[in-house]
Amino acid sequence: MRHTLPIAPQFYVTAPQPCPYLPDRMERKLFTALQGEGAERLNNALSQQGFRRSQNVLYRPSCADCAACLSARIDVAAFQPSRSQKRALRRNAHLTRRATSPWATDEQYELFRRYLDSRHADGGMADMDVFEFAAMIEETPIRSRVIEYAHRDTRALTAVSLTDVLDDGLSMVYSFYDPDLHRDSLGTHMILDHIDIAREADLPYVYLGYWVPGSPKMGYKSRFSGLEIYLGGRWQAMKNPQAHDAIQHPLSTDPIAEQVANIQLPDRWPTRD
């Protein structure tokens, strides 16, 4: 008699390294491979539990002495643009949107390099070459799109977002833009446009990655109304950003075994004879 056994994903933990967001803290990630016929279902299930995708890997912060990183998403139905966000839309009214398959181009890489050199020259991606960039864009086992924003008249590429399409929303995996136009609030514009795309597609959420209270790099995410954070094993509306200040955040995490045991996998998982 033949028996079928579930192919459960295996979870691992990275070695500690300096945190890119908060000084004097160490970063550690819990991660698993994203591959095979169950990749789409696994990505949807774990995204709803605070995980993020990077190429063929799903990860979530699992730092030994800090729990400041909070997965964030926007409830599209609850979102109302602020005055400054409306101004950002007007400033970028000349941009046109083009959604393409996840395929890297030289024009994208040139813009990406200018963005990194200007905004994140000391970050973990600072040395990424054209082949690594292509892998970041193209190595995806799920439904992903590259959203390009270009000047209506000159056609100059101005901003780009690598975006995953989930069952319940859009996940902005990585975004970059022309650093010479930082006053145009292009990052804000891309999020606002993704809210419009989600609304048109009847998708309830836009996933923004991690919000880190106390980190200037991440402060902009808390300015969006309808923001929800994944905390205590559930999504909840963020009412007061100051209440989650990194200095006041509880510096403790559950043991790795307990974290893994609490992860909810898809109901229908592929089996092997």
Side-chain angles (χ1 to χ4, degrees), residues 20-21 119-120 122-123 210-212 214-221:
Y21 303 116
R119 306 276 297 185
H120 302 285
D122 57 348
Y210 295 106
W211 172 60
V212 186
S215 170
K217 294 180 181 179
M218 295 293 180
Y220 71 94
K221 295 182 182 181

Side-chain angles (χ1 to χ4, degrees), residues 1 6 16 23 51-52 78 81-82 95 101 103 116 135 144 149 153 158 182 202 206 213 227 248 253 263 271:
M1 181 180 294
F51 279 76
R52 293 286 288 171
S82 66
L95 295 180
S101 59
W103 188 258
L116 283 186
S144 302
Y149 298 88
D153 299 324
T158 304
H182 63 93
D202 200 25
V206 173
L227 193 71
Q248 302 173 7
T253 56
I263 293 172
T271 58

